Amino acid sequence: MTRIPVLANAPADPTNYGDRYATDIYGRPVNNALLVVLHETVGSASSAVNTMQATHPNEDDQVSYHSIIKRDGTVIYVVAPEKRAFGAGNSVFNGANGPEAVKTHKDFPPSVNNFAYHISLESPPDGDDSAQTHSGYTSQQYQSLAWLVAWTNVPADRITTHREVDRSGSRIDPRSFDTQQLIAQLQNYWRDTAQQ
Ligand SMILES: [Zn+2]
């Protein structure tokens, strides 16, 4: 059984995202396939939206996800999928064909942002701290996440987490994430697609 989530729009301020580049800063063409990167908000979804809707002239403060999934399963679109959201600053994806990252800025390390679709799950109230774990995500969140991931058409081996791709040593999100629950939900969509 699959269902379409409630959808909402909360566009980010343009300082918090950019265009996807066709070449890296050395002029080499880049053509990485899309990668889904999962995060959590730590604070509330509305607090994350406020941050992304604020103007951030300082590059160090610029941050965004493409979408946020609230506790009730509502999907909030923040940055258009064709744009480059600033979700994982210093990051590398270890793909089937080796490490993937693109350097797009002379002052910042390479990252997966150029080919990432960043999705952030609203953390539970007991996750509003720096503990290693919390009570996890709602079944509505897993259902909406599966719907959204299915929509991206990204295969299972290109779904990853901020924790996995982070190279700063400081990111552990999404904490208490149940990969099996996502895969179980995704089976419904993959089965529907196979039957079409
Ligand atoms: Zn993150």
Side-chain angles (χ1 to χ4, degrees):
M1 264 192 305
T2 56
R3 61 168 188 89
I4 298 174
V6 174
L7 305 173
N9 283 298
D13 184 88
T15 54
N16 291 314
Y17 62 89
D19 288 320
R20 295 190 189 271
Y21 292 98
T23 59
D24 65 14
I25 60 163
Y26 313 108
R28 297 182 298 219
V30 289
N31 52 8
N32 309 72
L34 194 64
L35 178 73
V36 166
V37 183
L38 305 177
H39 303 257
E40 66 172 288
T41 56
V42 182
S44 69
S46 59
S47 150
V49 165
N50 287 343
T51 300
M52 294 172 200
Q53 292 192 320
T55 302
H56 287 135
N58 185 338
E59 291 181 327
D60 288 327
D61 303 331
Q62 296 166 356
V63 62
S64 58
Y65 309 119
H66 289 96
S67 51
I68 296 171
I69 301 177
K70 290 170 62 176
R71 305 290 297 166
D72 69 1
T74 302
V75 174
I76 307 175
Y77 292 122
V78 183
V79 172
E82 66 271 19
K83 296 293 186 182
R84 184 171 50 92
F86 303 162
N90 179 358
S91 54
V92 177
F93 175 64
N94 282 320
N97 300 312
E100 297 181 41
V102 179
K103 189 165 169 67
T104 57
H105 191 296
K106 65 179 174 52
D107 297 330
F108 293 113
S111 84
V112 300
N113 286 341
N114 203 54
F115 53 94
Y117 186 81
H118 293 288
I119 304 173
S120 191
L121 297 160
E122 183 177 24
S123 306
D126 70 324
D128 196 0
D129 58 25
S130 57
Q132 295 288 310
T133 61
H134 55 53
S135 58
Y137 309 96
T138 66
S139 58
Q140 291 97 324
Q141 283 178 298
Y142 283 103
Q143 287 173 30
S144 295
L145 177 59
W147 177 86
L148 192 54
V149 169
W151 174 86
T152 65
N153 266 322
V154 166
D157 65 356
R158 291 190 72 83
I159 303 168
T160 188
T161 60
H162 197 180
R163 180 200 295 256
E164 279 296 319
V165 298
D166 179 59
R167 292 297 177 272
S168 75
S170 63
R171 303 309 178 115
I172 59 166
D173 63 305
R175 294 167 294 169
S176 302
F177 182 75
D178 183 353
T179 303
Q180 290 314 311
Q181 198 169 157
L182 171 62
I183 296 296
Q185 292 284 348
L186 270 170
Q187 303 293 352
N188 299 322
Y189 292 95
W190 289 332
R191 190 181 311 118
D192 286 359
T193 304
Q195 285 169 354
Q196 279 166 10

